[in-house]
Amino acid sequence: MADLSDAREKLRGSIAPVITPFREDGSIDEPTLQDLIDWHIESGSHAVSVTGTTGEPSSLTLQERERVMEVAVKAAAGRVPVVPGTGSTNHQETLHLTKLAQEMGADAALVIVPYYNKPSQHALYKHFKTVADSVDIPIIIYNIPGRTAVNLKVKTLASLNEDCPNIIGVKESNKDFEHVNRVLLNCGRDFLLYSGIELLCYPMLAIGGAGHISATANVVPDKVAELYNAWNRGDVKRAQELHYELMPLNDVLFKDTNPAPLKAALGMMGKIHPKLRLPMDLPSQELQEEIRGVLKHYTERPDEGTNGSLHPLLSEK
C-alpha cells in the first residue's frame, strides 16, 4: 500500500484538470499536451489530472485514454503528482484503467460515479470497493450528479472511507453545500475534499477542504493555484479577492458544456488548436465573442492564434 499519509499531504491545492488537445484532423496532439502540462507546472498548479470530465474521456477510445495517461505521467516526470481519471460507466474498464494508472506510476486515480446507468447506493459501494481493493494507490472518488444522474450519498461515502483505507478523498461537483459540509463531518477532517464547482472553491477551503479541481485552471492556472496558496498561508483577504476576481471567468466558461468554452478560450490564447470531437463542438459565435471579451481582463492577446492571427476554427470578429 502506498504511503497514504504522504499522499494526503502531496495531493492538496489546485489539481488542474487538463484538456485533451486535438489536431485539426481530430487526433490527439501529444506535443501540445506535454506543453500544457509544462505550463501548468510552471504556473504553480500543485498537481495535474487528465481524462476527467474536462479531458473529454467519452470522446476517447480506451487506447487513447491509456495513451493520454501515459503521456501525462511522463511529461510531469515527478515534478507534481498526476491523478488521471480512470472511471467509466463500465466496471471492468474502470478496473483496467485504474490498475494501469498504478502501473504507469500515477500518484492517485480519480474515479467518477458511473454515469447513465444510475446505480443504487449499494451498487456504488460495491463498485468503488472493488476498484479500491484492486490497487494500492490512493483513490479519489468523483461525485458529479449533474453529469451522472445519481448522487453518491454521504452515508455511502462514509462507509467506503471506513472500509477502504486507500479511498482518501472526493471531488464534489455538487452544488448542495450542506452535502459537502456533511462529507467532512462524517468522513473525518483528514478526508480530502476537493471542489469541482468553481464558485465553491473558496467556500470549500473555508470548511476544511483540501483544494480544488477547477476547469478554470486551464485558462489561468496561476490564479487558481494562488487562491489555494493565499488561503493556506492565512491571507484570507487575498483569497477572497481572487474568489471574486475569478467569478466572471468562471461564469462565462460554463455558459456551454465544459470543455467547449475552455477550448475556445485556449484557442484564442494560442495554446491549442480549438478542436472538439462530435457530439461536442465549439460554442456559438455569440458566446465566443463573450468569452473573448472576458478573457481580455485575464490574459494577453486573447484573440490571436499561434501564428499571430485569429484561429480559423473560431468565428471572425
Side-chain angles (χ1 to χ4, degrees):
M1 183 70 69
D3 185 348
L4 298 179
S5 61
D6 183 54
R8 286 188 175 93
E9 290 303 315
K10 291 198 311 180
L11 295 170
R12 292 178 178 272
S14 174
I15 302 177
V18 184
I19 60 106
T20 302
F22 298 129
R23 298 186 179 90
E24 187 173 3
D25 64 3
S27 61
I28 295 172
D29 188 345
E30 293 185 10
T32 295
L33 177 58
Q34 294 168 351
D35 290 343
L36 288 173
I37 289 173
D38 285 340
W39 180 50
H40 277 288
I41 294 171
E42 292 162 5
S43 299
S45 294
H46 303 95
V48 293
S49 179
V50 292
T51 61
T53 300
T54 305
E56 296 175 81
S58 61
S59 296
L60 304 175
T61 67
L62 179 60
Q63 292 72 30
E64 286 175 328
R65 289 188 68 173
E66 295 170 357
R67 181 59 183 161
V68 170
M69 289 163 53
E70 182 180 16
V71 170
V73 170
K74 289 182 178 178
R79 292 175 290 171
V80 297
V82 178
V83 186
T86 61
S88 81
T89 193
N90 183 287
H91 178 71
Q92 291 301 322
E93 187 174 286
T94 301
L95 282 171
H96 168 74
L97 288 170
T98 306
K99 292 176 182 178
L100 189 62
Q102 175 170 289
E103 293 170 10
M104 288 179 176
D107 297 271
L110 181 68
V111 186
I112 194 170
V113 170
Y115 37 90
Y116 180 74
N117 45 24
K118 297 180 70 174
S120 68
Q121 295 298 306
H122 175 66
L124 286 173
Y125 174 88
K126 291 175 67 177
H127 170 71
F128 283 114
K129 187 174 190 308
T130 303
V131 173
D133 288 348
S134 73
V135 293
D136 293 328
I137 59 172
I139 300 294
I140 299 168
I141 293 176
Y142 181 10
N143 189 30
I144 179 169
R147 292 255 191 173
T148 63
V150 62
N151 184 38
L152 182 68
K153 293 183 178 179
V154 172
K155 182 178 179 180
T156 308
L157 183 60
S159 295
L160 286 164
N161 176 50
E162 182 177 351
D163 297 341
C164 307
N166 59 329
I167 293 181
I168 65 169
V170 63
K171 174 186 177 182
E172 284 284 357
S173 293
N174 197 326
K175 293 183 178 180
D176 183 348
F177 200 59
E178 180 179 343
H179 171 100
V180 298
N181 276 267
R182 296 190 183 283
V183 166
L184 290 183
L185 177 67
N186 287 272
C187 294
R189 299 286 295 279
D190 62 342
F191 194 67
L192 302 182
L193 172 67
Y194 305 93
S195 176
I197 298 287
E198 276 58 32
L199 293 189
L200 295 184
C201 289
Y202 171 71
M204 281 205 199
L205 292 173
I207 65 169
H212 30 261
I213 306 177
S214 166
T216 304
N218 281 276
V219 177
V220 284
D222 53 343
K223 292 184 182 294
V224 176
E226 174 59 14
L227 173 60
Y228 174 83
N229 292 338
W231 176 264
N232 195 45
R233 66 175 180 262
D235 191 346
V236 175
K237 183 179 179 181
R238 176 60 177 154
Q240 289 177 341
E241 288 173 350
L242 283 163
H243 170 69
Y244 289 105
E245 180 182 339
L246 288 167
M247 281 182 67
L249 183 59
N250 291 332
D251 288 345
V252 78
L253 291 177
F254 284 87
K255 287 194 172 183
D256 196 353
T257 303
N258 181 46
L262 275 182
K263 285 199 160 181
L266 288 167
M268 295 169 194
M269 294 166 61
K271 291 290 185 182
I272 66 167
H273 185 96
K275 176 76 173 179
L276 294 95
R277 289 178 176 176
L278 293 173
M280 300 291 288
D281 201 2
L282 287 168
S284 67
Q285 293 185 13
E286 180 182 6
L287 181 52
Q288 286 184 36
E289 289 300 326
E290 188 175 352
I291 292 167
R292 186 177 290 112
V294 172
L295 274 183
K296 290 178 180 178
H297 298 286
Y298 295 88
T299 63
E300 296 180 359
R301 302 164 68 90
D303 58 348
E304 294 188 355
T306 53
N307 296 320
S309 60
L310 190 67
H311 198 286
L313 280 188
L314 298 170
S315 61
E316 297 293 339
K317 290 184 178 179

